[in-house]
C-alpha cells in the first residue's frame, strides 16, 4: 500500500469536489462581490488540489 498514491487520490478527489462546488456557485450567482470572491477562492483551491493530486499519482512509482 503506497501512502503517496492514496494521498494523491485524496487530493485529486478534493480538487474535483472544489471545482464542482465552484461550478454550483457559478450557476447560482447573482454577481455580488461576495459571490465573485467565493468563485475565485474555490476555483483556485480546486485547481491547485487537482493538479497536485494528479502529479503526485503520476510521479509515484509502483514498488511492490
Amino acid at each position: 500500500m503506497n501512502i503517496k498514491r492514496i494521498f494523491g487520490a485524496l487530493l485529486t478527489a478534493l480538487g474535483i469536489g472544489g471545482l464542482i462546488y465552484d461550478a454550483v456557485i457559478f450557476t447560482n450567482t447573482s454577481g455580488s462581490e461576495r459571490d465573485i470572491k467565493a468563485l475565485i477562492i474555490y476555483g483556485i483551491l480546486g485547481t491547485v488540489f487537482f493538479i497536485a493530486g494528479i502529479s503526485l499519482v503520476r510521479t509515484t512509482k509502483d514498488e511492490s
Side-chain angles (χ1 to χ4, degrees):
M1 190 163 85
N2 199 341
I3 300 296
K4 284 185 181 180
R5 283 207 177 244
I6 294 171
F7 187 64
L10 181 67
L11 280 176
T12 304
L14 283 173
I16 291 171
L19 291 173
I20 290 173
Y21 187 65
D22 188 46
V24 169
I25 290 175
F26 180 73
T27 57
N28 294 330
T29 189
S30 62
S32 68
E33 183 179 340
R34 183 175 178 198
D35 291 335
I36 293 174
K37 284 183 183 178
L39 279 170
I40 292 171
I41 290 170
Y42 289 123
I44 290 173
L45 284 177
T47 304
V48 168
F49 283 174
F50 182 73
I51 291 172
I54 291 293
S55 66
L56 190 61
V57 169
R58 284 183 53 206
T59 59
T60 304
K61 297 180 181 177
D62 286 330
E63 295 178 4
S64 298

